[in-house]
Amino acid sequence: MSIKITENTTEDTTEDDTLYFGDVAFSSRLLTGTGKFASRDSIAPMLEASGSEMITVALRRIDPKAKEKDILQYIPKSVRILPNTSGARTAEEAVRIARIARAAGCGDFIKIEVITDMKYLLPDNAGTLKATEILAKEGFIVLPYMMPDITVTKQLHDAGAAAIMPLGSPIGTNRGLEMKTMIKRIIEVSKLPVVVDAGIGRPSQAAEAMEMGADAVLVNTAIATSHDPIAAGQAFALAVQAGRMAYLAQMAGEKTYAEASSPLTGFLRQ
Amino acid sequence: MLQPLEPDTVYTVGGKVMKALQKFLFCPSFFLFPHFYIPHPDQWVHCYIAMHIILNGEQTAIKSQTLDAMIAEQGVSPDTVIAEVNLELIKKDDWAQTYLAEGDKVELLSFVGGG
């Protein structure tokens, strides 16, 4: 099974449908993550099958007993690294992780996660905003993971964020767009790319987010924990592209009553 | 009374053991049983360079003096390690010149899978 997807589809619909974070251009609107893979060897083929151009990693203390290879060795050089600040409970901790990640050669991108709620892993918007302000001033391309909120969306614009990343549903739950209405409102007001991050469990949910006008989605758990992450990666890529095309095609709205698709004249019964 | 020095024990320079030794240096039994107070030369290296650092949040006794030797001592592959000493990131090229001191907070980090 190999369907070539990444090159043709978007060019047919619009001249230029490039996604920008800061001044960095992306042609793929699917962001992926490196967590929870049963075999890390499937990360590279998954990236190739999905066409994803950016993938998240986390920073942790080394365990000398666990002789595991560093995750970066499993990621092709052509794919951009998006370090996250997972584990940070305060803005200060997030800033520290971001600085280490950049100094370690991961580039200017950073996904801010400031989380104190360990049950639902819902982000602390105040801490996220504070970390965004500090890191944007230091030249980072900041992608803040946030609880969908209009006011915070505007504040993140002012703080210098490069995108808005509202959650669909709690991390790793595969529950889809529980925050649908709020995400719609964020898409309405945001001048920055909106990336729906977390909770997307199926390609249909990714397509729905893209149809709504999200600029990209970030999918990790659903791909990594599927039986075949390579096929799942491709399925998500197709869904994201279909959703994007549908959004650009400006689909007609819903109606209450039936409206015949065939002419209502010239029936044979008369 | 002082215990004889154990072969596999790490003794710190400024620690209690060495201070106690100095106190007993001039007592009569020191001259009668010097081996009881003075460690065997094989152990001297332990006595004079060992120290404690806070490695990844845990107090750890190390024999190494420099960062790169300490990383090797911990059995960590240096290729993918990110090292931070007292909240300052140390570039790999500078590891050999980075001398550790008693009580230094050292973090050894690496990138792992995450979403």
Side-chain angles (χ1 to χ4, degrees):
Chain A
M1 191 178 71
S2 66
I3 314 159
K4 255 299 164 201
I5 37 169
T6 42
E7 275 147 46
N8 307 327
T9 45
T10 44
E11 281 169 20
D12 293 345
T13 46
T14 57
E15 289 297 301
D16 179 26
D17 190 32
T18 309
L19 172 65
Y20 284 92
F21 294 121
D23 51 8
V24 185
F26 292 85
S27 55
S28 167
R29 290 172 180 272
L30 174 64
L31 282 62
T32 48
T34 53
K36 299 181 191 168
F37 277 85
S39 163
R40 293 156 152 219
D41 293 321
S42 52
I43 292 175
M46 181 281 290
L47 284 167
E48 204 190 333
S50 68
S52 175
E53 294 167 324
M54 185 145 73
I55 192 159
T56 58
V57 296
L59 188 68
R60 286 291 181 275
R61 282 172 168 169
I62 257 180
D63 178 8
K65 283 154 223 148
K67 303 255 179 211
E68 274 195 338
K69 270 203 279 177
D70 174 89
I71 193 79
L72 299 182
Q73 300 183 9
Y74 294 88
I75 304 169
K77 292 279 168 280
S78 57
V79 177
R80 198 170 282 270
I81 303 294
L82 176 58
N84 69 31
T85 66
S86 64
R89 293 156 301 178
T90 61
E92 288 72 25
E93 286 178 6
V95 167
R96 182 180 165 212
I97 294 169
R99 286 174 183 159
I100 294 171
R102 178 155 80 173
C106 272
D108 291 333
F109 275 84
I110 189 75
K111 173 185 163 182
I112 307 267
E113 280 182 47
V114 180
I115 294 174
T116 51
D117 161 38
M118 285 304 127
K119 191 170 185 185
Y120 293 108
L121 297 175
L122 295 176
D124 165 6
N125 278 355
T128 305
L129 180 62
K130 198 173 158 195
T132 303
E133 248 164 16
I134 297 168
L135 292 171
K137 276 193 195 120
E138 293 180 15
F140 281 90
I141 299 173
V142 184
L143 280 62
Y145 170 62
M146 53 93 81
M147 190 73 191
D149 182 292
I150 296 287
T151 311
V152 176
T153 299
K154 290 175 181 166
Q155 289 167 336
L156 285 169
H157 277 70
D158 297 338
I164 306 292
M165 298 223 289
L167 61 101
S169 50
I171 295 169
T173 57
N174 296 334
R175 294 170 71 92
L177 303 175
E178 285 185 332
M179 298 288 163
K180 191 172 166 181
T181 312
M182 286 311 297
I183 293 172
K184 267 187 185 165
R185 290 170 189 159
I186 286 178
I187 291 168
E188 249 172 62
V189 302
S190 179
K191 293 182 178 69
L192 295 169
V194 176
V195 183
V196 179
D197 180 8
I200 293 180
R202 287 195 298 272
S204 55
Q205 294 162 351
E208 190 182 5
M210 296 303 292
E211 276 175 33
M212 273 160 47
D215 295 277
V217 296
L218 198 161
V219 183
N220 182 3
T221 301
I223 293 175
T225 61
S226 68
H227 180 64
D228 182 349
I230 300 160
Q234 196 173 16
F236 270 102
L238 289 165
V240 166
Q241 289 193 351
R244 180 66 183 173
M245 285 176 83
Y247 170 71
L248 295 173
Q250 298 178 38
M251 309 307 293
E254 288 180 7
K255 282 171 184 143
T256 308
Y257 302 107
E259 201 176 88
S261 303
S262 314
L264 291 171
T265 51
F267 289 126
L268 271 65
R269 64 173 183 250
Q270 282 152 346
Chain B
M1 187 62 194
L2 267 179
Q3 296 298 310
L5 293 166
E6 296 294 328
D8 289 330
T9 313
V10 175
Y11 297 95
T12 61
V13 179
K16 282 175 189 163
V17 175
M18 293 304 291
K19 274 179 186 160
L21 270 174
Q22 286 160 13
K23 205 171 164 186
F24 279 88
L25 269 181
F26 302 106
C27 71
S29 58
F30 173 81
F31 298 99
L32 289 170
F33 312 105
H35 64 278
F36 195 80
Y37 297 96
I38 301 173
H40 188 273
D42 286 354
Q43 293 172 24
W44 285 7
V45 69
H46 293 256
C47 294
Y48 291 100
I49 64 165
M51 61 183 145
H52 290 92
I53 57 168
I54 312 293
L55 177 60
N56 285 359
E58 281 179 34
Q59 187 163 45
T60 310
I62 58 162
K63 299 170 191 170
S64 322
Q65 286 178 291
T66 60
L67 184 59
D68 68 335
M70 188 277 288
I71 288 169
E73 186 186 331
Q74 296 299 318
V76 174
S77 152
D79 306 338
T80 57
V81 178
I82 300 158
E84 204 191 41
V85 179
N86 298 329
L87 299 183
E88 192 191 333
L89 202 96
I90 313 288
K91 283 185 192 137
K92 207 159 283 185
D93 299 340
D94 300 334
W95 284 3
Q97 290 89 53
T98 304
Y99 284 84
L100 298 172
E102 180 79 23
D104 272 353
K105 290 192 178 67
V106 182
E107 296 278 344
L108 297 183
L109 313 163
S110 74
F111 286 105
V112 299

